[in-house]
Amino acid sequence: MLHIKSLPEGLELFKALGSDVRIEIIRILLENNGMNMNELASNLNITNGALTSHIRKLEDCGIVSVSNETSGHGNQKICSVHLDKILIDVQNENKNENVYTTDIKVGHFSDYNVFPTCGLASSSQIIGQVDDTRYFSHPDRYNADILWFTKGYVEYVIPNFIPFNQKIDEICVSAELSSEAPGVNNVWPSDIYFHMNDVFLGTWTSPGDFGDVKGIFTPDWWFPNWNQYGLLKMLVINHRGTFIDGLKISDVCIDDFKLTSKSNIKIKLEVPESAEHVGGLTIFGRNFGNYNQDIDVKIAYSPIEGQ
């Protein structure tokens, strides 16, 4: 998911989509699950040079990705659509709004129970041994920028430093996620369960464990047949319920927790053995995947009535 947080921020994206030819390129690539440059130019009845210009604009905005593949016909450039959805905030955020922001490194989980295949890595190396769950408690885990497991959970403490005598009205958590398949498999569904303070919030089904192209920020040393990137998901709990990317997944609302500046807040991501699709979980942090972010958190708050 690409999250455009203001209209000015999305200007280049809007320009890229302001072309009938580029919209047609996206449609064709979606219908064919990708296509090489020669086939795409022929399909559009335009020259390769003209196509290159259009593809570059779409690539610069992160809508389309281009990868090199070697076949019996030599080296081919394969184009594919890179996004599952685009979320645009039309109204600018109020700069005076009471919002506390923080981020949590992928390796800074407070509790875990995971099963192989599993592992952790920093931006420079694997941490410990792959498929050895003991390394999830190793001190080096704090350096992790990616972790993965087949089933189980990791839980994080969300820092709560909102001012005293304030109540929490909304919590927004965004992270880059995918499934965890043996190797990679773009079609490998996994039901990911979200909990806050041990209350079940809802689920999101990851469609796959993506390895068709290298992640934009994934290190060069990373193995090409391992997880390359995920999808940016935004979990929001507010007065109206719980949402993933704006779609309501449950009626659990922030009022159920009665959170204040004194509250402990824990968020758990789980793939339970009882799920319909036990396809694992990969969490991408900074230096991996396509978004170069850790687990980002925003907490909106307001004064407690009567204080």
Side-chain angles (χ1 to χ4, degrees):
M1 182 188 76
L2 176 63
H3 184 195
I4 302 296
K5 299 176 183 178
S6 67
L7 291 177
E9 182 182 322
L11 186 58
E12 293 305 314
L13 172 70
F14 304 145
K15 288 179 180 178
L17 294 176
S19 161
D20 292 341
V21 174
R22 291 194 280 276
I23 295 295
E24 183 67 7
I25 288 171
I26 296 170
R27 185 190 66 79
I28 292 172
L29 292 178
L30 287 172
E31 284 186 356
N32 294 276
N33 195 26
M35 186 177 286
N36 71 48
M37 294 281 282
N38 291 334
E39 292 173 334
L40 187 54
S42 176
N43 201 299
L44 292 163
N45 197 27
I46 62 176
T47 66
N48 277 36
L51 176 62
T52 298
S53 176
H54 288 300
I55 290 295
R56 186 177 294 117
K57 285 184 172 61
L58 293 172
E59 194 177 14
D60 288 344
C61 292
I63 299 173
V64 166
S65 63
V66 180
S67 60
N68 291 317
E69 289 190 7
T70 303
S71 68
H73 301 287
N75 195 40
Q76 298 186 69
K77 289 188 174 182
I78 306 297
C79 304
S80 57
V81 176
H82 200 54
L83 295 172
D84 60 332
K85 53 173 66 80
I86 300 171
L87 179 64
I88 301 172
D89 290 336
V90 176
Q91 293 184 338
N92 290 329
E93 291 186 4
N94 184 350
K95 290 185 174 24
N96 296 319
E97 186 179 10
N98 294 326
V99 176
Y100 167 74
T101 63
T102 187
D103 58 75
I104 307 167
K105 280 188 66 68
V106 167
H108 284 201
F109 48 86
S110 58
D111 192 16
Y112 75 95
N113 183 26
V114 300
F115 294 83
T117 55
C118 62
L120 313 96
S122 68
S123 60
S124 58
Q125 62 184 359
I126 298 292
I127 295 172
Q129 298 292 324
V130 172
D131 296 339
D132 188 339
T133 60
R134 294 177 300 169
Y135 286 95
F136 274 71
S137 61
H138 194 282
D140 288 349
R141 70 179 174 85
Y142 291 108
N143 299 320
D145 285 315
I146 186 173
L147 66 79
W148 64 96
F149 55 86
T150 295
K151 62 182 179 180
Y153 69 84
V154 286
E155 185 172 61
Y156 298 87
V157 173
I158 295 178
N160 179 8
F161 293 108
I162 68 170
F164 292 113
N165 298 322
Q166 304 287 307
K167 62 181 177 67
I168 294 176
D169 297 313
E170 180 177 279
I171 296 177
C172 174
V173 180
S174 70
E176 187 175 352
L177 309 174
S178 79
S179 309
E180 160 52 21
V184 294
N185 190 332
N186 281 25
V187 183
W188 189 266
S190 184
D191 297 333
I192 299 170
Y193 287 45
F194 299 93
H195 307 256
M196 189 167 75
N197 288 1
D198 297 320
V199 175
F200 175 60
L201 299 175
T203 66
W204 168 70
T205 300
S206 168
D209 180 4
F210 307 107
D212 51 324
V213 297
K214 182 178 177 296
I216 295 173
F217 299 102
T218 299
D220 291 337
W221 66 268
W222 188 247
F223 309 100
N225 60 334
W226 283 16
N227 332 51
Q228 294 296 317
Y229 66 92
L231 303 175
L232 188 64
K233 310 310 294 182
M234 185 166 61
L235 174 72
V236 174
I237 310 102
N238 59 26
H239 296 299
R240 296 180 291 113
T242 302
F243 302 81
I244 289 281
D245 298 342
L247 299 176
K248 193 171 188 179
I249 61 172
S250 81
D251 290 325
V252 178
C253 65
I254 200 72
D255 305 294
D256 298 330
F257 298 91
K258 297 180 172 55
L259 299 174
T260 70
S261 58
K262 299 179 180 179
S263 300
N264 294 320
I265 309 170
K266 299 180 296 182
I267 191 83
K268 181 193 294 183
L269 291 79
E270 180 184 25
V271 180
E273 192 170 11
S274 59
E276 180 180 354
H277 304 102
V278 184
L281 171 63
T282 302
I283 306 178
F284 298 81
R286 198 174 300 277
N287 302 313
F288 275 87
N290 286 339
Y291 294 95
N292 200 31
Q293 68 164 64
D294 296 313
I295 300 172
D296 287 355
V297 179
K298 291 183 179 180
I299 302 176
Y301 57 91
S302 61
I304 298 173
E305 294 181 6
Q307 295 292 325

